[in-house]
Amino acid sequence: MSLDRTDVDKIAHLARLQIEEQDAPEYAQNLSNILDLVDQMQAIDTTNVLPMAHPLDAVQRLRSDLVTEENQRELLQSVAPAVENGLFLVPKVIE
Amino acid sequence: MFDKTLAELAAGLKTGQFSSVELTQAYLARIKAEDTKYNSFISVTDDLALEQAAAADSLIAAGDAGTFTGLPIAHKDIFCTQGVRTSCASKMLDNFISPYNATVVDKFNQAGAVTLGKTNMDEFAMGSSNESSFYGPCKNPWNTDCVPGGSSGGSAAAVSAQLTPAATGSDTGGSIRQPAALCGITGLKPTYGRVSRYGMIAFASSLDQGGPMTKTAEDAALMLNVMAGFDKRDSTSADRDVPDYTADLTKPLDGLRIGLPKEFFSGDINADIAAQTQAAIKEFEKLGATVKEVSLPNTALSIPAYYIIAPAEASSNLSRFDGVRYGYRCEDPVDLEDLYKRSRGEGFGPEVKRRILVGAYALSEGFYDAYYNKAQQIRRLIRDDFTKVLSEVDVIMGPTTPHPAFKIGEKSSDPVAMYMEDIFTLSLNLAGLPGMSIPCGTVDGLPTGLQIIGDYFAEQKLLNVAHQFQLATDWHKQSPQGI
């Protein structure tokens, strides 16, 4: 599996990750090497093998529908880059 | 004093040989004087440590002390620590003062431990060399031209250089065991779910597990007694009783059945490491164990399966770093997309970006079945191999790593070469099994590790086996030259 520049740009966009122009060829090369490595998997027959998502096959725990957490908005927003009136500020998204 | 174990220091505190404040001051001074050589700490928390030490001394004076009261430790900088920068060794979190504690940190605080500081690591725990840290590489105290291993490289180096008696670590693919092996210390990755992941910054959630990094197996048992336990804040925490991990340490090993997977002794492995592992096995035979060859046929597949599953989960976990709620934000974003892309592009280092890209690709439309689903199927094959072998033997042993510590820079330009070093450790995380690394020799002046693998929740057994080895040998007492 070999990835080119266009592939890297497409994946980087999906991941909302800026890749500098000059770094793109190296990422394409690195990613192609990694994909070559993982392609070893394709040689193995896994017909009828159930995918394993959790080592102990655990299931999601449920709890009563009760409020258990206190409101800590001020504390948690104390580390935000930009806040006003308890809201996170971002560049304008709606005209 | 700096060569003392947690158990010895606890005895010293109890009998009044020294106070926790004296002990803490001594370690803080040693870190200041010595760590310029190793770069094993990202933050040293002097004020917090001295405050905790003073509180511990009051408890000791009042006769209210527990085993851990007043003992200094360090936390890997992946564990959120309230009021302290918790960076995960990333520019992304360089400005992040955690508003809350990880459960592991809370538990140590409640046990009366003293936090000396936060240790260096690979950025977001992604690496096997500690070279991807935003704060610069950490160096191996046995040879400062070499890596300490990773990702918990700072914790391993700090224990090895006697800058802290013990430290916490986290292990997603070997990140406790591999640096423990490369720095000549004891490291334990517990069963998946045994130690809470709450507040331990997520890398790959189905693989991540916190654990102790110490001088001895006995100390690892003391640490695990504090760390282990059910936590409702961790959705995959194991809801099982926690035994006293020190209770079985002294059991004799008569009749212990050891399995040696033939796949762990073939292929690209340093001949001296293979020989030392065999010598360690001989020692266990002297202690009454029996040995048989076993097979884990899918061992080699753990690398491709891991390097899909871990990046896929990482790409999902790391989507939270968006420059909006906490962490790094780029200057003057023109619009929201620019804010996301540049905050992430500027905040993450190259290895983190590589893994996000691999993960996003593996999860993208049209590729999910060929990559993620396939890897999860292989994961089951790997787990089934272990289950079969562990029905025939009590523990599995082999080398922790195929080679001793490599030179800083030697593998940093070739991610795939770096990934191959994880061959013996990855499969345990995929299966969720517990594993330990203990020192068992040296090659060219660099330490090597013996890996001991047990069944689910068999940490007591692993600690017993490791402790008996350490009573019979002194590899764990060796220190780097000049320390």
Side-chain angles (χ1 to χ4, degrees):
Chain A
M1 193 69 188
S2 179
L3 294 187
D4 62 21
R5 214 17 235 287
T6 325
D7 297 317
V8 172
D9 287 345
K10 188 180 155 213
I11 309 162
H13 173 70
L14 288 175
R16 299 296 185 271
L17 193 58
Q18 172 146 310
I19 299 292
E20 293 301 327
E21 190 74 23
Q22 72 269 18
D23 296 336
E26 197 186 337
Y27 278 106
Q29 187 58 54
N30 285 161
L31 295 187
S32 299
N33 293 348
I34 294 168
L35 292 173
D36 282 343
L37 172 77
V38 301
D39 271 342
Q40 291 170 27
M41 294 192 303
Q42 309 307 337
I44 307 301
D45 180 11
T46 51
T47 318
N48 298 326
V49 178
L50 273 179
M52 188 175 107
H54 184 284
L56 300 165
D57 293 321
V59 291
Q60 189 66 48
R61 272 199 317 275
L62 300 176
R63 62 169 175 83
S64 311
D65 187 15
L66 297 169
V67 176
T68 54
E69 295 290 327
E70 296 163 31
N71 182 8
Q72 303 183 73
R73 180 191 292 195
E74 278 180 30
L75 174 67
L76 297 177
Q77 287 193 332
S78 66
V79 289
V83 170
E84 198 175 292
N85 300 328
L87 303 170
F88 295 101
L89 293 188
V90 294
K92 201 173 193 176
V93 284
I94 302 168
E95 290 301 327
Chain B
M1 176 168 78
F2 298 112
D3 60 354
K4 284 194 181 349
T5 64
L6 288 175
E8 291 163 349
L9 292 173
L13 285 169
K14 200 172 174 184
T15 55
Q17 278 176 39
F18 40 80
S19 69
S20 177
V21 167
E22 286 165 347
L23 185 59
T24 302
Q25 282 171 335
Y27 269 107
L28 291 172
R30 183 168 166 84
I31 294 168
K32 277 201 184 62
E34 299 291 323
D35 199 37
T36 47
K37 292 183 224 163
Y38 314 116
N39 196 28
S40 66
F41 279 82
I42 289 175
S43 306
V44 181
T45 50
D46 300 71
D47 294 346
L48 172 66
L50 290 168
E51 189 186 308
Q52 289 173 324
D57 283 334
S58 305
L59 284 175
I60 293 168
D64 290 333
T67 310
F68 232 93
T69 308
L71 290 177
I73 57 163
H75 289 299
K76 184 178 183 178
D77 208 18
I78 199 168
F79 289 100
C80 284
T81 310
Q82 192 167 9
V84 174
R85 175 174 63 181
T86 299
S87 72
C88 231
S90 179
K91 180 180 177 185
M92 182 61 84
L93 290 175
D94 181 48
N95 64 0
F96 180 67
I97 309 297
S98 179
Y100 72 106
N101 276 331
T103 296
V104 163
V105 173
D106 261 341
K107 280 172 170 277
F108 276 110
N109 289 349
Q110 281 155 18
V114 171
T115 303
L116 294 172
K118 308 293 296 289
T119 57
N120 204 348
M121 54 184 283
D122 280 296
E123 184 181 5
F124 283 103
M126 296 177 191
S128 313
S129 69
N130 211 123
E131 291 169 286
S132 71
S133 169
F134 175 62
Y135 304 95
C138 172
K139 292 166 186 168
N140 192 318
W142 292 76
N143 178 344
T144 51
D145 291 334
C146 291
V147 303
S151 67
S152 312
S155 290
V159 173
S160 169
Q162 300 183 357
L163 305 183
T164 178
T168 55
S170 70
D171 190 315
T172 303
S175 286
I176 287 176
R177 292 159 286 152
Q178 185 253 18
L182 269 41
C183 289
I185 67 161
T186 297
L188 167 63
K189 179 202 100 70
T191 306
Y192 179 75
R194 181 74 292 188
V195 170
S196 170
R197 293 184 294 111
Y198 179 75
M200 187 177 90
I201 297 170
F203 163 12
S205 301
S206 79
L207 308 169
D208 294 344
Q209 181 58 207
M213 303 180 75
T214 54
K215 289 188 171 89
T216 63
E218 183 185 22
D219 280 3
L222 292 174
M223 293 268 286
L224 193 59
N225 273 350
V226 177
M227 297 174 84
F230 175 67
D231 181 8
K232 65 178 166 48
R233 293 182 153 179
D234 170 359
S235 65
T236 58
S237 175
D239 193 357
R240 294 171 64 114
D241 290 342
V242 177
D244 175 359
Y245 290 105
T246 63
D248 283 355
L249 291 176
T250 54
K251 277 196 177 170
L253 299 185
D254 288 327
L256 179 81
R257 297 168 303 168
I258 301 173
L260 302 183
K262 59 181 182 205
E263 294 81 4
F264 283 23
F265 294 89
S266 57
D268 179 25
I269 170 173
N270 177 293
D272 292 334
I273 287 188
Q276 282 167 5
T277 309
Q278 296 291 0
I281 309 289
K282 287 267 178 302
E283 196 63 48
F284 281 107
E285 286 182 307
K286 278 194 234 162
L287 294 171
T290 58
V291 175
K292 74 180 234 181
E293 186 183 272
V294 295
S295 178
L296 296 167
N298 292 300
T299 297
L301 288 171
S302 59
I303 294 182
Y306 178 88
Y307 281 100
I308 287 298
I309 293 169
E313 294 184 9
S315 78
S316 168
N317 272 326
L318 271 59
S319 65
R320 73 191 58 176
F321 300 101
D322 56 6
V324 174
R325 292 158 302 159
Y326 48 84
Y328 178 79
R329 172 182 277 202
C330 66
E331 298 277 341
D332 304 321
V334 295
D335 57 24
L336 191 58
E337 187 169 297
D338 185 46
L339 167 70
Y340 292 151
K341 285 188 171 175
R342 278 203 294 125
S343 296
R344 291 163 61 75
E346 294 166 16
F348 292 135
E351 180 61 18
V352 174
K353 285 188 217 172
R354 269 196 287 275
R355 298 210 192 185
I356 290 174
L357 292 171
V358 170
Y361 181 74
L363 293 175
S364 64
E365 191 185 3
F367 296 105
Y368 182 89
D369 281 339
Y371 290 113
Y372 193 71
N373 213 42
K374 186 83 179 177
Q376 295 281 60
Q377 288 175 311
I378 286 173
R379 187 175 186 183
R380 184 174 296 280
L381 298 179
I382 289 168
R383 199 272 303 263
D384 291 350
D385 287 351
F386 274 117
T387 307
K388 184 165 171 284
V389 169
L390 286 167
S391 69
E392 296 164 9
V393 299
D394 300 309
V395 291
I396 298 169
M397 290 187 190
T400 309
T401 62
H403 303 104
F406 47 90
K407 293 266 162 61
I408 294 171
E410 188 182 324
K411 295 183 197 286
S412 49
S413 61
D414 185 354
V416 169
M418 184 89 82
Y419 296 172
M420 301 308 280
E421 290 301 302
D422 305 333
I423 175 82
F424 301 134
T425 50
L426 297 177
S427 54
L428 279 73
N429 299 78
L430 291 168
L433 290 165
M436 277 188 89
S437 180
I438 56 172
C440 73
T442 56
V443 172
D444 300 331
L446 291 166
T448 60
L450 173 76
Q451 184 170 225
I452 312 170
I453 304 165
D455 210 343
Y456 295 105
F457 300 101
E459 287 82 2
Q460 268 183 308
K461 171 70 76 183
L462 296 185
L463 289 161
N464 168 223
V465 169
H467 181 65
Q468 291 301 311
F469 183 79
Q470 292 183 339
L471 289 178
T473 61
D474 62 1
W475 294 113
H476 62 293
K477 289 187 180 152
Q478 298 211 349
S479 292
Q481 213 166 16
I483 292 172

